[in-house]
Amino acid sequence: MKSTATAKKTFLAQASVLKRIGAFIVDLLIINIIILFPFRGVFESILPAAKFSEAFDFLRSPESSMILESIMIAVGILTMLYFMLLEKKIAQTPGKMLFSLFVKSQGKDLKNWQLFVRSMFLIPLFPFVLLWLIDPIVMLFTKENQRLSEILSRTKVVEQYQV
């Protein structure tokens, strides 16, 4: 008796905005656990457990704002590394895996500069924080649902289908 198993063909298509948002939320949850959670003790030790006005005065001091800025930059760098290393190694993050999404270069292979440009929005400094607003808006108005940082990096997120 012959086996009539047919080989499935794999296709790449434009990723849907909803799947991309879902994948990003999953990645943010993972980042919260592996990157932000370890900093919780540091935040609790520097921020006074007091009234809002006392906490606000504390945050206005140059020393405490410098400590918080340093922590934010460290968290931003670690978060960029999360995306860059996973996308370089396997073209996916855990969130993208869950939704069968992949990062693809418009050239041959993903380059380090492309991964950096894709992740610039994670740098918690001006002007990069503007990408928090600009990237999603651009994504909604481009034909292939690309963020501005993806257009600049010549990358896109695609979805894998098997039929």
Side-chain angles (χ1 to χ4, degrees):
M1 198 173 200
K2 273 189 174 179
S3 173
T4 57
T6 58
K8 291 186 176 186
K9 292 185 180 185
T10 301
F11 296 96
L12 296 179
Q14 174 181 317
S16 79
V17 173
L18 289 177
K19 284 189 176 186
R20 292 186 65 178
I21 292 169
F24 189 64
I25 289 170
V26 168
D27 287 326
L28 287 180
L29 291 172
I30 292 169
I31 287 166
N32 189 35
I33 294 167
I34 66 172
I35 296 174
L36 293 176
F37 187 74
F39 284 100
R40 176 177 275 157
V42 176
F43 284 123
E44 289 172 355
S45 69
I46 15 182
L47 292 174
K51 296 178 185 174
F52 177 77
S53 61
E54 292 172 7
F56 183 74
D57 289 338
F58 175 79
L59 291 173
R60 286 190 359 200
S61 76
E63 299 85 26
S64 57
S65 67
M66 185 175 288
I67 292 169
L68 289 175
E69 285 175 19
S70 299
I71 291 171
M72 286 174 43
I73 289 171
V75 167
I77 290 169
L78 291 171
T79 304
M80 283 183 74
L81 286 172
Y82 168 87
F83 282 97
M84 290 176 66
L85 292 174
L86 288 169
E87 290 174 352
K88 178 69 173 181
K89 194 74 171 164
I90 56 176
Q92 293 178 296
T93 59
K96 288 181 182 76
M97 283 180 199
L98 191 62
F99 290 91
S100 299
L101 302 177
F102 293 86
V103 177
K104 187 166 174 41
S105 174
Q106 291 176 354
K108 200 171 189 179
D109 296 322
L110 281 170
K111 307 276 189 251
N112 290 333
W113 73 267
Q114 291 175 299
L115 297 167
F116 177 79
V117 172
R118 281 181 56 76
S119 301
M120 284 188 316
F121 74 97
L122 298 166
I123 301 171
L125 299 171
F126 185 82
F128 303 107
V129 294
L130 293 175
L131 290 172
W132 297 351
L133 295 172
I134 296 169
D135 260 1
I137 291 170
V138 169
M139 183 172 73
L140 294 174
F141 292 103
T142 57
K143 184 178 166 184
E144 294 184 349
N145 299 332
Q146 285 181 287
R147 299 180 291 126
L148 176 62
S149 53
E150 291 173 335
I151 293 168
L152 295 173
S153 68
R154 298 183 191 161
T155 61
K156 58 183 169 181
V157 176
V158 294
E159 187 170 354
Q160 182 174 323
Y161 293 98
Q162 289 188 349
V163 285

